[in-house]
Amino acid sequence: MSKGPGLFSDIGKKAKDTIISSLYTGSFYISAVIVRYFRSLPLTGIQQNALTTSTVKKGGYSSGDVAAQYIYKNTFVDFKVDTESNISAILAFADIVPSSKTIATLKYPNYESGKLELQYFHPHASLTAAVGLNQAPPIDFSVTLGTPTFALGAEAGYETSSGKLTKYTAGITVTKPDSCGSVILGDKGDTIKASYIHYLDQLKRTAAVGEIARKFSTNENTFTVGGSYAIDSLTLVKMKLNNHGTLGAVLQHELIQKSLVTISSEFDTKALDKTPRFGVSLALKP
């Protein structure tokens, strides 16, 4: 296990990623090849350069982007331009202040969505503070206390233009080598979620997951069960089913070395006349 309790955003993330990640939301979605090229220059320090290109087709609409990444020692730079003329950049610097990470996100033409974030890590605590880069910047703050096996934390968002809290969330998690359980009270106290994931192998590729969510304002309950199963070292299957009848499945297979194909589908078992959602992606990993 890593040192420290981790960030507040890590609470419940393991279960969420297992039952939700890789499930596409479009009616038909194709993600074309993503290629990355890396170069290492040991004589001048630890350095990695990456060039990423991707194309996406959803229905009859196609889009794409080109991104460049640069990593040198404690500095990370990510620059991306897409077919909609949107430009985004992420600059990250580690240890400007000891045990910290500083992240700046810049976007154009939607420059008001940029933000500056500071993360601080301690063996028994972690802090994050983020401020928007505009005239009336929103401010987000989170704190997590504990250890790698037990942690509790809270986060809040404040809007300076209205002087109101936009969000406040609290959570607690217990992590063991083969399992993890979390409870999160969110949506300004209107929603509570409890999740549990249990790993069935040492590589943590096969797991069973359960999640219970209740929305107090509507008295609505959602129960979700799912998991992942490693058919072999090259093939992984994920599935989820909730009490509203939504069934989702993902199949990931490594065709050749560092080439991963993903097929996903999601449909409503209570409305079989509706068109299922379907997605296919192919990626070449570094």
Side-chain angles (χ1 to χ4, degrees):
M1 296 182 184
S2 60
K3 297 181 179 179
L7 299 175
F8 179 80
S9 57
D10 295 330
I11 296 179
K13 187 175 185 299
K14 295 178 180 179
K16 180 180 178 181
D17 287 348
T18 301
I19 61 176
I20 297 179
S21 65
S22 301
L23 294 177
Y24 299 124
T25 57
S27 57
F28 184 71
Y29 181 105
I30 297 178
S31 177
V33 179
I34 301 175
V35 185
R36 296 179 179 177
Y37 305 90
F38 286 82
R39 180 180 61 189
S40 179
L41 302 176
L43 296 179
T44 58
I46 301 175
Q47 176 174 322
Q48 289 183 321
N49 297 325
L51 177 64
T52 304
T53 62
S54 66
T55 58
V56 174
K57 183 176 182 180
K58 185 176 180 180
Y61 177 76
S62 297
S63 63
D65 61 60
V66 177
Q69 297 177 350
Y70 175 82
I71 304 174
Y72 180 73
K73 294 184 178 179
N74 295 333
T75 303
F76 171 79
V77 179
D78 185 296
F79 184 83
K80 181 184 293 185
V81 180
D82 64 22
T83 53
E84 301 295 327
S85 299
N86 295 310
I87 301 174
S88 62
I90 299 176
L91 309 176
F93 307 93
D95 294 328
I96 293 180
V97 177
S99 302
S100 72
K101 181 186 295 184
T102 304
I103 305 171
T105 303
L106 308 173
K107 295 183 179 181
Y108 180 85
N110 188 20
Y111 57 87
E112 291 189 352
S113 62
K115 69 176 182 178
L116 180 65
E117 180 178 359
L118 176 65
Q119 300 176 350
Y120 175 76
F121 302 91
H122 183 273
H124 298 292
S126 68
L127 302 172
T128 67
V131 58
L133 301 178
N134 53 55
Q135 294 182 350
I139 300 174
D140 294 325
F141 179 81
S142 73
V143 58
T144 308
L145 305 174
T147 66
T149 57
F150 175 82
L152 56 89
E155 69 172 355
Y158 178 77
E159 192 174 75
T160 55
S161 59
S162 62
K164 297 180 180 179
L165 287 175
T166 57
K167 65 178 179 180
Y168 42 87
T169 307
I172 185 172
T173 182
V174 178
T175 304
K176 295 183 178 181
D178 60 353
S179 62
C180 181
S182 305
V183 178
I184 298 176
L185 180 65
D187 295 333
K188 298 182 180 180
D190 188 45
T191 302
I192 187 169
K193 293 182 179 180
S195 63
Y196 177 79
I197 180 170
H198 189 87
Y199 298 103
L200 305 176
D201 63 347
Q202 294 183 347
L203 297 178
K204 297 185 177 181
R205 285 169 51 85
T206 300
V209 184
E211 181 184 80
I212 302 175
R214 177 173 176 81
K215 192 173 182 64
F216 296 109
S217 60
T218 60
N219 290 323
E220 181 182 4
N221 297 315
T222 301
F223 305 93
T224 305
V225 294
S228 62
Y229 177 70
I231 298 177
D232 52 41
S233 60
L234 302 176
T235 308
L236 182 68
V237 175
K238 293 182 180 181
M239 295 191 69
K240 74 167 185 177
L241 175 66
N242 63 29
N243 62 308
H244 301 300
T246 301
L247 175 64
V250 174
L251 172 66
Q252 292 180 332
H253 180 71
E254 189 170 351
L255 293 175
I256 57 177
Q257 187 177 12
K258 298 183 179 181
S259 177
L260 184 68
V261 61
T262 302
I263 302 174
S264 66
S265 181
E266 184 177 281
F267 65 95
D268 188 349
T269 59
K270 296 182 180 179
L272 298 179
D273 57 320
K274 294 184 178 180
T275 303
R277 297 170 177 173
F278 181 75
V280 179
S281 72
L282 174 65
L284 298 181
K285 302 185 297 179

